[in-house]
Amino acid sequence: MPRTRSALPAPGPVRLGPDARAALRPTAVGITTGFWHARRATNARVCVPQGPELLESAGNLHNLRLAAGADEGEFRGAYPFVDTDVYKWLEAAAWQLAQAPDPGLADQVARIVGLVAAAQQPDGYLNTWFQLVKDGRRYQDLRWGHELYCAGHLIQAAVAHHRATGGTELLDVAVRFADHIDSVFGPPGSGRPVDGVDGHPEVETALVELYRETGERRYLDLAGYFVDRYGHGLLGGEAYCQDRVPLREATDVEGHAVRQLYLLAGAADLALETGDAELRAAGERLWRAMTATKTHLTGGLGAHHDAEDFGDPYELPNERAYCETCAAVASVQWSWRMALLTGEARYGDLIERTLYNGFLAGVSLDGERWLYVNPLQVRDGHTDPGGDQSARRTRWFRCACCPPNVMRLLASLEHYLASGDASGLQIHQYVGGRYTAEGIAVRAETDYPWDGTIRLTVEETPADRPWTLSLRIPQWSRDFRVRCAGEPYDAPAAEGWLRLERTWSPGDEVVLELPLEPRLTAADPRVDAVRGCVAIERGPLVYCLEQADHPDGGLDDIVLDPTRPLVVKQRPDLLGGVTTVVAAGRRRAVPDRGWWPYVPADAVEIPGPDGGDRVELTAVPYYAWANREDGGMRVWLPLS
Amino acid sequence: MPRTRSALPAPGPVRLGPDARAALRPTAVGITTGFWHARRATNARVCVPQGPELLESAGNLHNLRLAAGADEGEFRGAYPFVDTDVYKWLEAAAWQLAQAPDPGLADQVARIVGLVAAAQQPDGYLNTWFQLVKDGRRYQDLRWGHELYCAGHLIQAAVAHHRATGGTELLDVAVRFADHIDSVFGPPGSGRPVDGVDGHPEVETALVELYRETGERRYLDLAGYFVDRYGHGLLGGEAYCQDRVPLREATDVEGHAVRQLYLLAGAADLALETGDAELRAAGERLWRAMTATKTHLTGGLGAHHDAEDFGDPYELPNERAYCETCAAVASVQWSWRMALLTGEARYGDLIERTLYNGFLAGVSLDGERWLYVNPLQVRDGHTDPGGDQSARRTRWFRCACCPPNVMRLLASLEHYLASGDASGLQIHQYVGGRYTAEGIAVRAETDYPWDGTIRLTVEETPADRPWTLSLRIPQWSRDFRVRCAGEPYDAPAAEGWLRLERTWSPGDEVVLELPLEPRLTAADPRVDAVRGCVAIERGPLVYCLEQADHPDGGLDDIVLDPTRPLVVKQRPDLLGGVTTVVAAGRRRAVPDRGWWPYVPADAVEIPGPDGGDRVELTAVPYYAWANREDGGMRVWLPLS
């Protein structure tokens, strides 16, 4: 694995404004080695460069040319929001360019920015679906139209492009559109013609970023107006569109998971910039409700395929887990904003779990194929027609929201890992590279998550002034050891943070050792779907069984023996190099019940510990599943 | 409960043709007392009479007038198949009229038949959606258009109307439409312009009935053509539309459950009339695959909300069980045809289970409200927006397929209960009333399913000729007792049939006693959704807990104690009079896990038998759920 030394951290998302009321301020990390460096290299080498060709073949770029009058034909694509595939790709490419010059990619970006600019209408409006298919009937179907959702992704791309390149070509487009929206939308009595919100939140967080980038307060106010107009029946009052109850009064996450999460990210952005304590409290309340009752073990969110809904508390199915990849991206974005707002470590816990599991499973190891939904189980013999909501990886989707969302998060990942404040540096996530904050630089060497040792070396430090190096001790970690300048450091972590305060010198070394014994995890008994089951975890990784590793039979008859040890096995040959966990199991013999699978309870024989054939179970990290031949998969394993 | 003596059994569906190759021939039963008599009385008194008003207010009748040029306005309704609501209601009303004269209902039927006839186009075509909305672009969207599906329900209504009233007003309409279809559809080389099938099977079983009613062989041939053209990619090859594989080659039920079941009913009808052994074998194979791996305990079918799909084998979720009421109706229709085809008792087992549980839950006790989907669990605090696919009863649906489907099955129920053959009479289902076959009449007195005693008295019998009274011994029944003319009769049942062969005299009495001890039922361990759970059953009834009977707390923390006896309690005051089952349980105390519900498996305390507060559990029949205030419901109860 090549080790390169990064230059100064590149610019990224969530660049707080000067008046922000954040507990922590984000600070980027140079990721130069290890697990995430490799994933980002694939993103940079395979995923992002393929974008223009995929957007061309799916028709997205054609639509832009059509709207500019520069091409002939029909609108292509099945959804009113296909423009966002372009915008999210532009954002990903911009973050990519922020890290390293790439003339070929820069040319592609410039070309596609040109297509976007040419498609914009003179008054700033831009949406190819409404321009080409809906005869320009703007803002008349806010529930389904996605016009402001599209604007939001355009704005995010423009902010990224400006931060990354300094160029204003796309920012000018976004500002014109934002000004147009600001001239149209407003509360009754404001003199603006439309009092409304978009069925799919997203523009709110984008407008706060535009405020951050331009200093123009109107965009912040407009974001605040939108956030507070949900829940008042402007969209018919449905939870699906986040319109059942105002966010400030909500007690649980509900409705379409991605819509809910983008709205919450926007609300957290507002709270960060305005200090709105009620919005902060709502965010804390809803985050806790979500993690305690509506989050899959993988960090996946959204239980229902139908309406992409969060579902009820503790309703966490396995094979029908929806867990959209976009929801994982949105969850990371929201939790990061909450971490900055509150300074609390638990947001980093969810970010870690999500990144390593529910998010990363969304892209194949080779960067060529994608999962839109991320189930926790695929049954033996599962037949699957493929397509958007399939449990089989797909080259691209009709609704291609997820792939460029993965690209943009991977390309900007270094901005979700660490923060600084007056006390010093906080490390939320452990990667190989260089963490920096005001006057501070710390080099990190680690093979995490395969190995639990994180070696941190102070490279730059203010002289003669103490500061605190805060290390997040993961929620999954039952204990840990830390040595500071060679000496054991014996202090407990407090609410997830281990605080090392001292006057540091260059060369000082801190070694954190997190225990990576594989473990069996059980669920709250109210999670009906996994009663009598355990999952295998190791560090931040959730493991699963895959058919490919068990050629002698299916997975649906396997029972785990929890009394036998879990054995770690390094497998550099497997799935790009993973650590597997080998467990002991048995293959349950199910008697033939004839045509009816329900029997008197007293007729059920619970096999003893010697029942069934022994079988060695090989568990692989969940993120790496579905990279071999099709077959069954299980995260949760029955005990009897 | 009033006891009335029916006249001769009324005509009904599946009147086999003269050349049919059935093992058994259907014979109607006069249902005069007891459980089903009461449900049918509600159907006759409340459900069916309300039809015209509901069809008027939903716009269905307006559409017919519009198509006839007799009204002005727009097409109303959200689906291309809204005409079928009218047709299914007409079928229900016709079966109703077949049993008892009702001048008011007869007038309504005549009026609505007139609307249907007036809407028909000169060449026989009839579909208000295509006539009014699609500018008459016929048969160009067979995948979604539902034109032949609508024709099928029209034909079934017409056959029922003709059988019930002798009038040909509607039959003439159906024949004209069928002749039109026969002139359009046919295989390549037939000279017919369209080689195709409908995305939603239904016309196949209807055309066989039209053949039975008219003797016109062309309709049987057309049904055969349609059945065999599924699975050849004419609809794009999707399982959803039953187009992935030809039925003759299929090894499992798949795709949209109602589509699959109507297609299978049509195939069974064909096998009945033609003796097609391959279609019969396919039906037997698929029925077994369905019951063994894809049927909920209630008889409910269709695991997925999404695409209304059967789902994978053993994928039988509880709160997200789809179990559409229409699928229960279609399942009864198919199983009945399979029973006639094979003579086997197990089809009656599934019919019984479905009727008493998954089907009957579809209509409220008062006949005023409906369930489209029939889940097996509703969590504490479940919020539900109502509507078509809600776990709360609704007055009518945007897609109102289920209510008139319930009406037509209840109104013709007496035709699914008994059969005759050369050996004598077979009783598939036990009701209070009078069973007849060729020269045979048997009176039945029973309070089944509340009481297990069925008292059968021979009223008419051929003199001096033995015949066999065959009694289905339910699959759930572990033993039974029977007395024949006062003497114990000690013979085993063979494959579900107890065969009593003798020379009978009028007044001979047979008393069958089925054991109705409540029982705990467990599932095949591959049914992941109910691992570690049992269900309470009694006779053919599946029981559930409802919040209304447990005011001291929710249902999600309840654990059943299987070591304590189940106690039967008559509750004439409850839910129209039910037998409840009282069980012992405990209320699980779940420690506060903070924000993350997953814990190390060794930290899970399995409470001992004395853990948690004792609570008395009152289980009510599943069919009666959701007739009180909204609240939780559970069929499957955890044991720990």
Side-chain angles (χ1 to χ4, degrees):
Chain A
M1 203 165 288
R3 290 177 177 241
T4 57
R5 184 71 170 270
S6 77
L8 274 181
V14 198
R15 185 182 271 181
L16 296 180
D19 302 325
R21 318 292 181 83
L24 310 176
R25 298 188 75 88
T27 175
V29 181
I31 305 174
T32 52
T33 65
F35 187 90
W36 288 108
H37 179 69
R39 269 74 206 166
R40 283 155 55 83
T42 303
N43 191 50
R45 195 185 69 246
V46 180
C47 304
V48 173
Q50 290 183 350
E53 188 185 323
L54 290 160
L55 295 169
E56 191 63 73
S57 66
N60 309 66
L61 302 182
H62 163 83
N63 294 337
L64 289 168
R65 285 192 295 266
L66 219 54
D71 205 346
E72 293 186 350
E74 301 270 304
F75 178 91
R76 289 176 56 199
Y79 299 98
F81 48 81
V82 292
D83 293 349
T84 59
D85 303 344
V86 179
Y87 302 149
K88 277 189 279 192
W89 180 82
L90 279 173
E91 185 186 341
W95 298 136
Q96 198 60 47
L97 290 175
Q99 291 166 53
D102 179 337
L105 183 62
D107 285 351
Q108 291 281 25
V109 167
R111 178 176 71 87
I112 294 173
V113 166
L115 294 178
V116 172
Q120 186 170 37
Q121 298 199 313
D123 64 355
Y125 184 87
L126 174 49
N127 182 300
T128 64
W129 168 265
F130 278 84
Q131 290 168 228
L132 298 169
V133 179
K134 289 294 189 178
D135 300 325
R137 291 194 299 270
R138 302 172 180 176
Y139 309 130
Q140 290 174 37
D141 183 15
L142 289 170
R143 199 157 155 220
W144 297 109
H146 290 77
E147 289 159 286
L148 302 182
Y149 169 78
C150 292
H153 279 300
L154 168 62
I155 292 167
Q156 288 183 334
V159 168
H161 184 260
H162 186 245
R163 284 185 191 153
T165 68
T168 61
E169 301 88 339
L170 196 57
L171 189 66
D172 290 344
V173 174
V175 163
R176 276 196 298 272
F177 199 176
D179 289 345
H180 169 73
I181 292 167
D182 191 39
S183 75
V184 170
F185 286 85
S190 65
R192 318 287 166 88
V194 181
D195 177 30
V197 291
D198 194 281
H200 199 315
E202 156 65 26
V203 77
E204 301 76 17
T205 184
L207 284 167
V208 177
E209 281 281 84
L210 190 60
Y211 153 73
R212 290 172 181 148
E213 197 61 12
T214 62
E216 178 56 72
R217 175 96 200 176
R218 279 187 299 122
Y219 304 137
L220 186 64
D221 295 341
L222 187 58
Y225 158 72
F226 284 135
V227 164
D228 276 327
R229 289 302 279 155
Y230 283 95
H232 296 282
L234 295 178
L235 296 166
E238 286 179 18
Y240 176 80
C241 299
Q242 306 301 316
D243 196 35
R244 194 187 62 82
V245 63
L247 197 59
R248 292 172 190 274
E249 299 165 22
T251 57
D252 201 356
V253 291
E254 66 176 23
H256 186 290
V258 177
R259 293 171 195 236
Q260 172 77 87
L261 291 162
Y262 280 154
L263 180 60
L264 285 162
D269 271 323
L270 272 169
L272 276 166
E273 297 299 337
T274 64
D276 187 321
E278 198 177 52
L279 277 185
R280 171 182 162 155
E284 292 183 281
R285 184 170 70 239
L286 294 173
W287 191 90
R288 190 189 162 96
M290 178 183 84
T291 51
T293 71
K294 296 190 176 179
T295 306
H296 282 82
L297 187 65
T298 54
L301 295 165
H304 291 187
H305 277 243
D306 196 47
E308 312 182 73
D309 193 275
F310 263 110
D312 279 345
Y314 301 108
E315 184 193 348
L316 294 161
N318 290 309
E319 71 257 65
R320 295 300 283 173
Y322 195 68
C323 296
E324 184 181 340
T325 304
C326 283
V329 172
S331 168
V332 170
Q333 293 179 334
W334 177 37
S335 285
W336 179 239
R337 286 156 174 80
M338 292 303 295
L340 298 177
L341 194 54
T342 64
E344 291 174 11
R346 56 184 171 150
Y347 300 103
D349 286 325
L350 184 66
I351 289 173
E352 177 176 67
R353 182 171 289 275
T354 305
L355 286 175
Y356 278 105
N357 302 287
F359 163 74
L360 191 55
V363 56
S364 65
L365 295 177
D366 62 9
E368 301 265 2
R369 289 177 308 142
W370 308 87
L371 284 174
Y372 189 119
V373 301
N374 295 279
L376 278 74
Q377 176 183 2
V378 176
R379 286 173 189 270
D380 296 340
H382 174 76
T383 56
D384 199 310
D388 285 16
Q389 297 178 2
S390 155
R392 307 297 182 207
R393 293 192 186 279
T394 302
R395 183 72 183 99
W396 202 243
F397 302 116
R398 270 164 53 95
C399 174
C401 50
C402 297
N405 225 348
V406 172
M407 293 178 206
R408 68 178 181 141
L409 182 54
L410 280 174
S412 59
L413 187 70
E414 68 270 32
H415 298 277
Y416 293 88
L417 310 180
S419 60
D421 65 0
S423 79
L425 171 70
Q426 300 84 40
I427 299 184
H428 299 248
Q429 309 298 337
Y430 300 105
V431 296
R434 196 158 185 266
Y435 295 84
T436 54
E438 196 75 21
I440 298 168
V442 174
R443 181 159 47 87
E445 292 163 287
T446 183
D447 198 23
Y448 190 79
W450 307 124
D451 185 274
T453 301
I454 298 120
R455 190 176 303 273
L456 302 166
T457 307
V458 174
E459 291 191 336
E460 294 173 21
T461 175
D464 309 321
R465 176 165 73 74
W467 56 272
T468 304
L469 177 63
S470 298
L471 305 179
R472 185 179 62 85
I473 302 302
Q475 178 268 350
W476 54 260
S477 164
R478 287 208 235 186
D479 54 30
F480 65 92
R481 285 189 302 169
V482 68
R483 277 176 297 137
C484 200
E487 296 295 312
Y489 186 93
D490 192 18
E495 296 191 333
W497 286 118
L498 176 69
R499 311 272 190 193
L500 306 174
E501 186 189 1
R502 57 189 291 170
T503 303
W504 301 87
S505 305
D508 280 354
E509 193 177 78
V510 173
V511 180
L512 173 66
E513 286 185 57
L514 297 171
L516 290 192
E517 297 83 34
R519 59 192 193 274
L520 296 178
T521 298
D524 185 293
R526 288 166 290 196
V527 184
D528 291 281
V530 301
R531 181 171 290 108
C533 294
V534 294
I536 297 172
E537 297 188 285
R538 180 171 183 263
L541 296 173
V542 176
Y543 277 71
C544 66
L545 301 188
E546 275 204 291
Q547 182 61 63
D549 300 304
H550 303 86
D552 295 334
L555 302 182
D556 287 350
D557 288 330
I558 277 177
V559 169
L560 183 97
D561 181 350
T563 65
R564 303 273 297 285
L566 301 173
V567 179
V568 166
K569 200 163 169 183
Q570 313 299 338
R571 290 289 299 274
D573 59 307
L574 196 67
L575 296 166
V578 296
T579 299
T580 62
V581 177
V582 178
R586 290 176 184 278
R587 215 173 264 294
R588 183 171 55 202
V590 183
D592 182 10
R593 304 287 189 200
W595 61 268
W596 193 239
Y598 305 100
V599 294
D602 53 16
V604 177
E605 289 170 43
I606 306 284
D610 298 327
D613 293 333
R614 287 194 178 178
V615 55
E616 184 179 275
L617 307 178
T618 295
V620 298
Y622 174 78
Y623 79 78
W625 87 280
N627 280 286
R628 294 174 286 178
E629 65 269 34
D630 287 348
M633 182 274 289
R634 292 184 86 102
V635 168
W636 290 96
L637 307 173
L639 293 176
S640 69
Chain B
M1 202 167 289
R3 291 178 177 242
T4 58
R5 186 67 173 270
S6 77
L8 275 179
V14 198
R15 186 182 269 180
L16 296 180
D19 301 324
R21 316 292 181 82
L24 311 176
R25 299 189 74 89
T27 174
V29 181
I31 305 174
T32 53
T33 65
F35 186 91
W36 288 107
H37 179 69
R39 268 74 205 168
R40 284 156 54 83
T42 302
N43 191 50
R45 196 185 69 247
V46 181
C47 305
V48 173
Q50 291 183 349
E53 189 186 322
L54 290 160
L55 294 169
E56 191 62 74
S57 64
N60 310 66
L61 301 182
H62 162 83
N63 294 337
L64 289 167
R65 285 192 297 266
L66 220 53
D71 206 344
E72 293 185 351
E74 300 271 304
F75 179 90
R76 289 177 55 198
Y79 299 98
F81 49 80
V82 292
D83 293 350
T84 60
D85 303 344
V86 180
Y87 303 148
K88 277 189 277 191
W89 179 83
L90 280 173
E91 184 185 343
W95 298 136
Q96 198 60 45
L97 289 174
Q99 291 166 53
D102 180 337
L105 183 62
D107 285 351
Q108 291 280 28
V109 167
R111 177 177 71 87
I112 293 173
V113 165
L115 294 179
V116 172
Q120 187 169 38
Q121 298 199 311
D123 64 356
Y125 183 87
L126 175 49
N127 183 299
T128 63
W129 168 264
F130 278 85
Q131 290 169 228
L132 297 169
V133 179
K134 289 294 188 178
D135 301 326
R137 291 194 299 268
R138 302 171 180 176
Y139 308 130
Q140 291 175 35
D141 183 16
L142 289 170
R143 198 156 157 221
W144 297 109
H146 289 79
E147 289 159 286
L148 302 181
Y149 169 78
C150 292
H153 279 300
L154 168 62
I155 292 167
Q156 287 183 332
V159 168
H161 184 258
H162 185 244
R163 284 184 191 152
T165 68
T168 61
E169 301 87 339
L170 196 57
L171 189 66
D172 290 343
V173 174
V175 163
R176 277 196 297 271
F177 199 176
D179 289 345
H180 169 74
I181 293 167
D182 191 39
S183 74
V184 170
F185 286 86
S190 66
R192 316 287 167 87
V194 181
D195 178 29
V197 292
D198 194 279
H200 199 315
E202 157 65 29
V203 76
E204 301 76 16
T205 184
L207 284 167
V208 178
E209 281 281 83
L210 190 61
Y211 153 74
R212 290 171 181 148
E213 198 61 12
T214 62
E216 179 58 70
R217 175 97 200 175
R218 279 187 300 121
Y219 304 137
L220 186 64
D221 295 339
L222 187 59
Y225 157 72
F226 284 135
V227 164
D228 277 326
R229 289 302 279 156
Y230 284 95
H232 296 282
L234 296 178
L235 296 166
E238 287 178 17
Y240 176 81
C241 298
Q242 305 302 315
D243 196 34
R244 194 186 62 82
V245 63
L247 197 59
R248 293 173 191 273
E249 298 166 23
T251 56
D252 200 355
V253 290
E254 66 177 24
H256 186 289
V258 177
R259 294 173 195 234
Q260 171 76 88
L261 291 162
Y262 280 154
L263 179 60
L264 285 162
D269 272 323
L270 272 170
L272 277 166
E273 297 299 338
T274 64
D276 186 321
E278 198 178 52
L279 277 184
R280 170 182 161 154
E284 291 182 283
R285 183 171 68 240
L286 293 173
W287 191 90
R288 191 189 161 97
M290 178 182 83
T291 52
T293 71
K294 296 191 177 180
T295 306
H296 281 83
L297 187 66
T298 55
L301 295 165
H304 292 189
H305 276 242
D306 195 49
E308 312 183 73
D309 193 275
F310 263 110
D312 279 345
Y314 302 108
E315 185 194 348
L316 294 160
N318 290 310
E319 72 257 63
R320 296 298 286 172
Y322 196 69
C323 296
E324 183 181 340
T325 304
C326 283
V329 172
S331 168
V332 169
Q333 294 178 333
W334 177 37
S335 286
W336 179 240
R337 286 157 173 80
M338 292 303 296
L340 298 177
L341 194 54
T342 64
E344 290 174 13
R346 57 184 171 149
Y347 300 102
D349 286 324
L350 184 66
I351 290 173
E352 177 176 66
R353 180 171 290 276
T354 305
L355 286 175
Y356 279 104
N357 302 289
F359 164 73
L360 192 55
V363 56
S364 66
L365 295 176
D366 62 9
E368 301 264 3
R369 290 178 307 143
W370 307 88
L371 284 174
Y372 189 120
V373 300
N374 295 279
L376 277 74
Q377 176 183 3
V378 176
R379 286 173 190 270
D380 297 340
H382 174 75
T383 56
D384 199 310
D388 284 19
Q389 296 177 1
S390 156
R392 308 297 182 205
R393 293 192 185 279
T394 301
R395 183 74 183 99
W396 202 244
F397 303 115
R398 270 163 53 96
C399 175
C401 50
C402 297
N405 225 347
V406 172
M407 294 179 204
R408 69 179 182 141
L409 182 54
L410 280 173
S412 60
L413 187 70
E414 67 270 32
H415 299 278
Y416 294 88
L417 311 179
S419 61
D421 67 0
S423 79
L425 171 69
Q426 299 86 37
I427 299 184
H428 300 247
Q429 308 298 337
Y430 299 106
V431 296
R434 197 159 184 264
Y435 295 84
T436 55
E438 197 76 22
I440 298 168
V442 173
R443 181 158 47 86
E445 293 163 287
T446 183
D447 198 22
Y448 190 80
W450 308 125
D451 185 274
T453 302
I454 298 121
R455 190 176 303 272
L456 302 166
T457 308
V458 175
E459 291 191 337
E460 293 173 22
T461 175
D464 309 320
R465 175 165 75 74
W467 56 272
T468 303
L469 177 63
S470 297
L471 305 178
R472 184 179 63 86
I473 303 302
Q475 177 268 350
W476 54 260
S477 165
R478 290 209 230 186
D479 55 28
F480 64 91
R481 285 189 304 168
V482 68
R483 279 175 298 137
C484 199
E487 297 295 313
Y489 186 94
D490 191 17
E495 296 190 335
W497 286 118
L498 177 69
R499 312 268 190 196
L500 306 174
E501 186 189 3
R502 57 190 292 170
T503 304
W504 301 88
S505 304
D508 280 354
E509 194 178 77
V510 172
V511 180
L512 173 65
E513 287 185 57
L514 296 172
L516 290 192
E517 298 83 34
R519 60 191 192 276
L520 296 180
T521 298
D524 185 292
R526 288 167 290 197
V527 184
D528 291 280
V530 302
R531 180 169 291 108
C533 293
V534 295
I536 297 171
E537 298 189 284
R538 180 173 183 262
L541 295 174
V542 175
Y543 278 69
C544 66
L545 302 188
E546 274 204 293
Q547 182 61 62
D549 300 305
H550 303 86
D552 295 335
L555 301 182
D556 287 350
D557 288 329
I558 279 177
V559 170
L560 183 96
D561 181 351
T563 66
R564 304 271 300 285
L566 301 173
V567 179
V568 167
K569 199 162 169 184
Q570 313 298 338
R571 289 288 300 274
D573 58 308
L574 196 67
L575 296 166
V578 295
T579 299
T580 62
V581 177
V582 178
R586 291 176 184 278
R587 212 172 266 293
R588 182 170 56 200
V590 182
D592 182 8
R593 303 287 188 201
W595 60 267
W596 192 240
Y598 304 101
V599 295
D602 53 15
V604 177
E605 290 170 42
I606 306 285
D610 298 328
D613 293 335
R614 287 194 177 179
V615 56
E616 185 179 273
L617 307 178
T618 295
V620 298
Y622 174 78
Y623 79 78
W625 87 280
N627 280 285
R628 295 175 285 179
E629 65 270 34
D630 287 347
M633 182 274 289
R634 293 185 84 102
V635 169
W636 290 96
L637 308 173
L639 292 177
S640 70

